[in-house]
Structure formats: structure tokens, C-alpha cells
Amino acid sequence: MTSATSSALEPAQLNWDEQGRPESALFGDVYFSRANGLAETQYVFLQQNHLHQRWQQADLRHFTIAETGFGTGLNFLCAWQLWRQLAPAEARLHFVSVEKFPLRLADLQQALALWPELAELSAPLLQHYPCNLAGFHRLQFDQGRVTLTLMLGDAIESYQRLDAQVDAWFLDGFAPAKNPQMWQPELFQQLARLSHAHTSFSTFTAAGIVKRGLQAVGFQVEKVPGFGHKRDMLRGHFQAEMQTQTHTPQRALIIGAGIAGASCAHALAQAGWQVEVYEQAPAPAQGASGNPQGVLYLKLPKFVNLSSQLHCQGLLYSRHLLRQHLADEQGQSWQECGVIQLALHEKDRQRQLAALSSGIYPHEFVHAVEAEQASQLAQISLNQDGLYYPLAGWVNPPRFCQRLLQHDRIRCHYNSLISRITFHQGQWHLFQGQQLVAQAPILVVCNASAATAFVPCQSLPLGSIRGQVSYAKVEQLPQPGPVKVICQEGYISPARDNHYCFGASFDRSRSEAEWVEADQQENLARLGRMLPDWYDSCQTLQLQQGRASVRSTTPDHLPLVGELQPGLFLSLGHGSKGLITAPLAAEIITSQLSHAPSPVPRELSEALSPLRYQP
């Protein structure tokens, strides 16, 4: 969603034959063999890449497949099914795919209904299938055993932006004669860049342009019998010097159990790591992550930039995690109720409309609403136009953190203030006073501005912003409040546990977390400006004491994510957007440590690197 992908994605236009099989109206080609699509995938991609043999190795830890056309997802589902049957229980499958013309959800559902034998796998894919927003989408299945990174956009541009080490290529897509734009030298160059000495490939086609393109970048190519009526197909492997595979010991320490630390612990545990978390408080999420309701919230800039790319992708990934891990607590610990972002003034409204005019944001992700429509959605009188985010909502951060930390591979140590960290003989050492309490080759620091107390982090440009939220009881109000999250200068969430939560103040001049009356009154005044009609009917509003905390920020408003020194990783500076940036940041760090495909484009991971502030 930088300049490479800042254009609208067109959904696939389909025709359906008499057997109910989809065909591309644009390319005039089928998505899979008319004879038997399932058997075609198993023969062309699974068998010809020798996955049956490769996946039964006892020492297999992770395997990465990359594909050039997601289509109906049939290849992904077949690979997932075989992985379940053959791979060691502790191994992880990463499947990377790209699609320039994504199927609409209803079309995907209709297409996959052709394969009832895959229903157990297609159901979660359909449940978590992303909206039609350009960029990278990270989805996890089978308790982390299978990860799908779906890149929506042009294949060449997407693979140019990917960091990964691919073990097998599924070169799928429409035939070269019908879609020559994809089968270009630039694509083959990316295949070579992302391959290693053991990388295999297979493709349904035997076209000369494909054979010559692969050979030109270093692939050994073999022609073998094709599937069904096709006489030939291609398979082979990448010819490269043998490289010694280095495996990072899968044991890590984490400092901090807020949303950043809990997310990192969860992501690493899902990837097979043993994780120990050290938290100075008696429970998780006692600092900036401790408010009773936080909002999955973002602001769209007039032009697409790295910040909006991070926030859009992060919102969707956090939503994915919530739907997986808190599905049984919808409405109690979180709610996908939608967020209405009211324009503060006319200039702000024009900025909102300018952002929408780019055309890259699908209607199901965000769209404009006039005041009357917004009022109907929120079931409360609103006086301004704005934007509506149907997929967003609120979450109880402490409960989210608790659920993320509930994993067999995570051990939490509370009331454990780490005063010093050192590095010695390949191990990071954690001290409480003069006592060594833990050591491991990998340390992830996630304790916000407190990280600057550690010598390696002292030069980090972390600032602090104090914020305070307010509470009000539902039964004290003569008229019910909104059923959507409403944002403007501040926010108010739908009621939870018979309380409304609203705020929040932004104060750069103080770094204490004590509650103050002045901020309470500021929150109340901000609420009155945002919802004047409702506020006027609530003059008897009796506020309860709210909660104050201190957020950690950076000068460029992007978090610090990645490796600072060998074995020392950071997830810091998330500001007020931690609920939508910290979970994705955890995936970035885990992919770097596990040598797995990155969940974000290369330019974004580079922009988030803590090294950007090093001299």
C-alpha cells in the first residue's frame, strides 16, 4: 500500500459453467482443471515438488511454499490437508500467495463448495478471508501450525517487496498466452532471489517463455507428463551453492506483559518457541494497556504512507486474532461493533474524502457517512459527517493480553522488575538487583519507555504521553449512549459492564500516571463537543474516577520493531495505536527470528527497524 500498490483492486469477474465451476471472464481461462481440479493440484504441485517425502522428515521445523496465483485457494487447502497428514506436529507451514484479482467472498464460497472433502479447512479460510484491500494479509490456522500470507496486488510488485526463504514454488495462474503480464523476466528474478539450494518448483504449463525464464535465472528445468489432457508440464529446482542452515535456539525472554509483550510471547509460542515473560506488575496489562476499553482505531492520511499501511494491515490482523482467540467473548471482552470517525471541521472532512477518493479502500473496510446515516448506525444523534469502519470496534486490553499469554509454551513471572540486562557469551542476562534471574540467546524488550533504563536502549528516542480516560454508569443516564464507537477529538465506546468509557486526554508535559480532576473535566468537555445532543440530556451525569496511564511514542510516530543488537529485539513506541500495531509487530519479530516469510512488505519492516535511529 505504498506507491507500488496505491490503486484500487478489481475483484475477479467470473463466469460459471454448467457444472458450477468458475472461469475468469477477464482472461478467458479456468481456475482449475475441468477434469478434476483437486487431483490436478495433488499431481502438479504436491507430487511434483516431492512434498510427500520432504514433509515426513523427523527434523523438519518449518517449510515455506510460495505461489503466483491464489485464485480459489484450492492449492493452499490441498497443501494444508497434506501437511496435517504428514508433517511433524511441531513443524510449521508457511504458505505465501498473491492475487491481483481476488474473488469476492460469496464467489469463493461457491467455488469451494465444489470440494466438500475440504470443508473442514475451507470453513476457517472463508471465515477469515480478508477484505479486498491491497497489501499483505497475515492469517493463521491450526493453532499456528499453518500460516497464510496473502498478498493482494500485482505478482511482480508483491514479490519484489517480500522477504522470505522459499522451499517450494507453486507457479500457478492463468496460462502465459492469456496472462503474459505476469510471466515476465522480473517475476523469474524474484523467484531466484527468494530461493535457495533446496528450492523446488512445479507448474502446470510447459510454455517456452516459462522454461526459458526459469533457466535464465538459475533453475534446472525438467519437462514431465502433465495432468489429464495436458501433454507436458515443468518441474525442477534452483541451482545454487549449498548454504549452511543456521537454526536459532528457540528460547526467548520477554520484558513486559502489556499488549506488546503479550503479542510477542504469543507469536513466538505459536511458532514453536519456549518463552518466559517478566513483568513488574502483579498481572498483565497494568500500564498503558490496562484501560477497560481500547479502540481498534486509525486515521487515514490524505495520501497513502507507511503509517497508514501499518495501521490498516495491523487493524485487520488484530481483528483476525480477536476472532480466533476471543470468539467466545464477543460483546463481553471485545466487540466488532464498527467505529464512526466524525470530522472535526470542514477541513478535516475534506481530508477524509480525499483519502477515500484514492479508491484503494474497499467499502467493507471504510466508507463515508453523512450525519443522518451515522446517527442511524450509532442509534444516537450525531451532528457531523464522517467515516465508518465496519470491521473495527473495541476490546478489553487486559483480557486480550491474558488470552494471548495462555499458551503451554509461555511462562509468566509477575512482580518481577528487571533492573539490568547484559550480554555475555551469546546469552542475554536479566537481573533483579544483583541477582541473575534468567538468561537466553534472544531477548525482546516490550516495556515501553521504561526500556531506556537498560544500557543498550538508553539512546532510543522514546517519549511519553500521559492519557486519562473517564467512566460513567449506564443506569445513571436518561438516554442510552451509542452502539458504535464514536471518535473525534476523543472517543466513547458502547457500554461494557454497565459502564461507558470515554476520553482520552493527551498530555506531553507530565509522565505520571496519577488520576487528576482537570483531565476528568477535559474529557467531559470533549464528550460534550462530540455528542452535544446526548450530552445535554445527561446533565445529571455522575462520573466515576477514571484511569490514567503513560503511552510510549517515537519522533516519527512509528514504533520500534526489530533487532537492535544481536539477539536483542524491540517492540516499543506504539503510542495510542498499540492494539493495532503491537500484534503485527510481534509477527514481524517472529518472522525475523524464525527465518519465516515477513508479514509486511520490506519497506515497512525497514521503516520500523530500531536501527533507523542509530548513528
Side-chain angles (χ1 to χ4, degrees):
M1 286 165 37
T2 60
S3 58
T5 57
S6 56
S7 58
L9 288 179
E10 298 180 23
Q13 302 298 321
L14 303 182
N15 295 321
W16 302 86
D17 67 14
E18 59 276 6
Q19 277 76 44
R21 295 170 299 203
E23 301 174 351
S24 169
L26 177 63
F27 295 101
D29 202 358
V30 296
Y31 279 88
F32 40 74
S33 169
R34 288 190 173 92
N36 189 323
L38 194 62
E40 178 190 36
T41 289
Q42 292 168 342
Y43 174 79
V44 172
F45 297 113
L46 307 186
Q47 182 176 330
Q48 301 305 321
N49 276 290
H50 307 294
L51 299 186
H52 295 75
Q53 297 84 357
R54 297 166 77 179
W55 286 358
Q56 295 186 68
Q57 299 175 16
D59 61 347
L60 181 65
R61 298 178 64 176
H62 59 80
F63 195 94
T64 298
I65 296 171
E67 178 185 51
T68 52
F70 187 72
T72 64
L74 181 59
N75 295 341
F76 166 63
L77 295 175
C78 288
W80 179 4
Q81 183 184 59
L82 185 66
W83 182 263
R84 272 186 164 188
Q85 296 168 358
L86 299 180
E90 296 300 311
R92 300 293 182 267
L93 174 64
H94 291 270
F95 196 101
V96 182
S97 192
V98 65
E99 183 56 60
K100 189 174 183 179
F101 301 97
L103 270 68
R104 295 180 177 89
L105 179 59
D107 289 336
L108 183 66
Q109 186 172 12
Q110 182 177 346
L112 292 179
L114 294 169
W115 316 112
E117 56 267 64
L118 296 175
E120 184 181 356
L121 305 182
S122 60
L125 174 61
L126 291 166
Q127 181 185 3
H128 295 281
Y129 187 65
C131 66
N132 196 13
L133 181 68
F136 288 32
H137 298 264
R138 174 62 62 95
L139 303 174
Q140 293 181 338
F141 305 98
D142 268 0
Q143 292 76 51
R145 280 197 75 200
V146 175
T147 298
L148 170 65
T149 303
L150 181 55
M151 305 179 295
L152 299 185
D154 179 78
I156 295 173
E157 293 177 351
S158 296
Y159 277 113
Q160 286 173 339
R161 305 166 73 207
L162 177 70
D163 277 330
Q165 294 180 349
V166 176
D167 298 303
W169 286 98
F170 290 3
L171 302 185
D172 201 1
F174 298 116
K178 298 185 178 183
N179 184 23
Q181 292 84 1
M182 186 184 80
W183 305 92
Q184 294 293 318
E186 292 82 1
L187 176 64
F188 300 125
Q189 290 165 9
Q190 296 310 310
L191 304 189
R193 179 180 69 85
L194 298 170
S195 298
H196 56 78
H198 299 286
T199 302
S200 64
F201 82 89
S202 64
T203 178
F204 67 94
T205 184
I209 186 176
V210 176
K211 180 180 180 180
R212 293 187 296 271
L214 289 166
Q215 290 173 329
V217 296
F219 282 90
Q220 178 274 329
V221 180
E222 177 185 6
K223 186 179 290 187
V224 296
F227 176 79
H229 70 276
K230 289 187 67 67
R231 186 177 63 182
D232 300 312
M233 60 165 285
L234 302 177
R235 71 178 184 190
H237 64 272
F238 189 61
Q239 296 174 305
E241 295 182 5
M242 295 295 293
Q243 300 174 348
T244 302
Q245 294 290 324
T246 58
H247 295 294
T248 304
Q250 291 189 297
R251 190 166 58 86
L253 306 175
I254 292 176
I255 301 176
I259 187 62
S263 296
C264 282
H266 174 80
L268 286 168
Q270 290 277 79
W273 289 62
Q274 297 294 327
V275 183
E276 292 196 49
V277 180
Y278 287 81
E279 167 58 49
Q280 65 177 354
Q286 298 299 294
S289 301
N291 290 340
Q293 285 176 287
V295 181
L296 302 179
Y297 165 78
L298 63 113
K299 280 190 174 181
L300 297 181
K302 186 174 181 179
F303 301 105
V304 176
N305 57 28
L306 289 169
S307 179
S308 64
Q309 179 180 351
L310 172 66
H311 293 160
C312 289
Q313 186 175 342
L315 185 153
L316 293 175
Y317 182 68
S318 294
R319 172 180 179 260
H320 170 64
L321 283 184
L322 287 166
R323 297 177 79 202
Q324 278 195 324
H325 299 291
L326 283 173
D328 57 334
E329 298 183 21
Q330 166 81 273
Q332 177 185 353
S333 297
W334 72 288
Q335 188 177 17
E336 191 178 306
C337 58
V339 171
I340 298 174
Q341 185 182 81
L342 299 176
L344 186 59
H345 40 62
E346 180 57 27
K347 185 176 180 180
D348 189 32
R349 178 58 173 166
Q350 293 306 313
R351 181 192 58 79
Q352 291 181 346
L353 296 177
L356 291 184
S357 68
S358 67
I360 71 170
Y361 302 107
H363 187 271
E364 64 268 31
F365 182 77
V366 61
H367 56 269
V369 288
E370 296 181 349
E372 181 179 356
Q373 183 183 4
S375 299
Q376 293 173 350
L377 287 168
Q379 297 180 24
I380 191 172
S381 177
L382 300 173
N383 297 334
Q384 291 88 27
D385 300 341
L387 300 179
Y388 179 48
Y389 297 84
L391 305 182
W394 63 263
V395 60
N396 174 242
R399 181 57 183 149
F400 192 19
C401 291
Q402 290 169 7
R403 185 60 69 92
L404 291 174
L405 291 168
Q406 290 175 356
H407 197 288
D408 292 342
R409 297 189 187 90
I410 299 175
R411 183 182 177 192
C412 294
H413 304 268
Y414 298 111
N415 297 306
S416 299
L417 174 62
I418 301 302
S419 57
R420 180 164 57 99
I421 63 174
T422 62
F423 187 69
H424 181 65
Q425 294 184 344
Q427 299 277 313
W428 282 96
H429 296 72
L430 273 55
F431 291 86
Q432 291 181 341
Q434 297 303 312
Q435 181 182 3
L436 175 65
V437 295
Q439 60 183 25
I442 300 298
L443 170 62
V444 190
V445 177
C446 305
N447 60 340
S449 297
T452 55
F454 304 137
V455 172
C457 304
Q458 285 179 344
S459 64
L460 295 173
L462 289 171
S464 298
I465 298 180
R466 181 186 177 282
Q468 182 170 305
V469 296
S470 301
Y471 311 144
K473 278 191 175 181
V474 171
E475 57 262 30
Q476 294 173 339
L477 306 180
Q479 293 187 16
V483 298
K484 308 287 185 184
V485 176
I486 309 296
C487 298
Q488 195 185 54
E489 294 178 88
Y491 74 91
I492 181 170
S493 298
R496 173 183 179 268
D497 288 343
N498 293 318
H499 284 80
Y500 289 108
C501 178
F502 60 94
S505 61
F506 279 77
D507 189 345
R508 297 179 183 274
S509 65
R510 288 178 291 175
S511 59
E512 306 84 16
E514 288 78 13
W515 180 89
V516 296
E517 177 62 30
D519 283 6
Q520 183 90 307
Q521 295 305 314
E522 179 186 340
N523 285 341
L524 193 60
R526 187 181 293 112
L527 179 64
R529 292 191 296 271
M530 184 168 61
L531 302 176
D533 296 340
W534 183 67
Y535 177 74
D536 286 344
S537 72
C538 300
Q539 291 302 311
T540 59
L541 184 68
Q542 296 181 18
L543 297 179
Q544 297 181 322
Q545 181 168 318
R547 183 180 186 275
S549 60
V550 179
R551 314 174 188 96
S552 172
T553 63
T554 65
D556 62 5
H557 306 294
L558 291 174
L560 303 172
V561 180
E563 191 170 27
L564 179 66
Q565 295 181 9
L568 176 61
F569 288 75
L570 309 179
S571 180
L572 303 169
H574 294 277
S576 61
K577 301 295 193 298
L579 285 171
I580 64 171
T581 58
L584 186 61
E587 280 295 300
I588 295 172
I589 291 171
T590 300
S591 69
Q592 292 171 351
L593 283 168
S594 302
H595 307 292
S598 174
V600 299
R602 186 192 307 170
E603 71 272 9
L604 181 53
S605 60
E606 291 174 352
L608 300 177
S609 170
L611 298 178
R612 71 186 189 270
Y613 287 116
Q614 297 301 296

